[in-house]
Amino acid sequence: MSILAFTKGHGTGNDFVLFADPDGERALDERELAAISDRHFGVGADGVIRAVRSSRLPEGAATLDEDPAAEWFMDYHNADGSPAEMCGNGIRVYGAFLLDRGLIDLEVGETITIGTRGGVRHLTRTADGFEVDLGAWFVAEGEVRVDADGLDVPRPGLAIGVGNPHVVVALSDEAELDGLELGRAPELVPAAPQGANVEFVVPAEPLVEAGVGRIRMRVHERGSGETLSCGTGAAAAALATRHWAGQGAPDTWSVAVPGGVVGVRVFEVAGESHVALSGPAELVFDGALEL
């Protein structure tokens, strides 16, 4: 039996248990990670984040090759204990945790490089939270059919890659979005080899206001179920809506999720289209857990 000191945090309701393990001495197995995330018998969270130096774990070596400045690695696991490539809300909360623990110094407007399984990410501190450059994104070829509880028939979905896999489905109205039951993972045809997060979106009326696109979203995250927010999912949902809207669609989006509102921004880096996610990051409480 050992004691794990942890911090509970969230980004627009997408909640995490975070713990510091700078030297990589406290890797938890899948069973332990799932037990911590359990909302009835554990702390309760959508995932667990370990703060570890990139040099201290095998996955970190690749990020250091990509950018030697990536001292810190976000070792993120879903609520079922499975590893994930990236988490857009999680990396903002991770930044707040590193600051709170005195592991980094970062003033408003400054940027830090973070290693993830999805590659290096650049996190900037803002006046009211953080913005993360999620990197290059892409629209996958082919159509995906999505069946979910609450839909009368399967719907077409658009596969979007933003460092982890997503499928975005457009719905006709708010009532259809509210009527979804997302406790069960939506079924995808063809199935995603590594699974996928699935976002359901409805455009606001009007879609664009003061140059900003506006959508509402719900999501089922692979390995976690329905969550109050998904950062990379919000980015994917905005990108899909922008794609459907066609030429002249805005580059800046506001995405309403059950836990709040996040911002999405599309911009160019060396001729390559990147997407950034911005929003709050809150640390709620500290605790200790027997494992």
Side-chain angles (χ1 to χ4, degrees):
M1 193 73 68
S2 61
I3 302 297
L4 180 73
F6 69 87
T7 295
K8 181 72 179 287
H10 77 91
T12 54
N14 198 188
D15 61 341
F16 311 95
V17 170
L18 305 99
F19 69 98
D21 181 26
D23 296 323
E25 301 171 337
R26 196 70 188 275
L28 303 180
D29 61 31
E30 189 170 298
R31 180 193 61 80
E32 292 172 316
L33 292 162
I36 290 170
S37 298
D38 191 288
R39 296 194 180 277
H40 299 287
F41 299 100
V43 179
D46 293 324
V48 178
I49 300 174
R50 176 173 63 143
V52 58
R53 289 190 173 89
S54 296
S55 60
R56 294 294 183 169
L57 74 172
E59 299 97 321
T63 62
L64 288 172
D65 288 341
E66 184 179 345
D67 189 337
E71 177 186 3
W72 291 99
F73 189 92
M74 184 180 74
D75 183 19
Y76 177 70
H77 288 78
N78 297 313
D80 64 357
S82 61
E85 297 91 342
M86 240 297 289
C87 179
N89 289 322
I91 199 168
R92 298 198 318 274
V93 179
Y94 183 58
F97 178 73
L98 292 176
L99 274 170
D100 182 72
R101 289 301 177 93
L103 297 172
I104 62 170
D105 292 315
L106 195 66
E107 299 296 329
V108 172
E110 292 183 340
T111 299
I112 187 173
T113 305
I114 301 291
T116 76
R117 289 184 178 84
V120 166
R121 297 292 182 265
H122 300 288
L123 183 70
T124 301
R125 188 178 181 186
T126 65
D128 55 0
F130 294 86
E131 181 182 70
V132 56
D133 178 356
L134 297 174
W137 58 278
F138 65 90
V139 176
E141 293 183 3
E143 185 178 90
V144 180
R145 302 295 290 181
V146 180
D147 189 18
D149 293 340
L151 292 181
D152 51 356
V153 294
R155 304 297 173 84
L158 186 68
I160 300 277
V162 288
N164 56 356
H166 295 264
V167 175
V168 184
V169 179
L171 299 182
S172 59
D173 55 36
E174 300 270 352
E176 197 167 46
L177 184 65
D178 291 336
L180 292 172
E181 296 291 340
L182 296 180
R184 179 180 68 88
E187 295 180 8
L188 306 179
V189 180
Q194 305 300 321
N197 302 316
V198 183
E199 288 79 32
F200 299 88
V201 300
V202 171
E205 180 58 46
L207 174 62
V208 181
E209 188 171 69
V212 177
R214 303 179 303 141
I215 57 174
R216 182 178 164 220
M217 178 193 90
R218 289 178 63 191
V219 58
H220 183 285
E221 291 196 61
R222 58 177 181 167
S224 295
E226 182 174 13
T227 59
L228 292 180
S229 181
C230 175
T232 55
L239 291 167
T241 308
R242 180 175 177 267
H243 174 81
W244 290 322
Q247 189 173 5
D251 291 333
T252 303
W253 292 79
S254 175
V255 182
V257 295
V261 177
V262 295
V264 175
R265 181 171 62 92
V266 182
F267 60 105
E268 295 291 319
V269 176
E272 190 174 50
S273 184
H274 280 221
V275 61
L277 172 77
S278 60
E282 303 288 341
L283 301 180
V284 181
F285 65 85
D286 296 325
L289 187 67
E290 285 190 354
L291 291 178

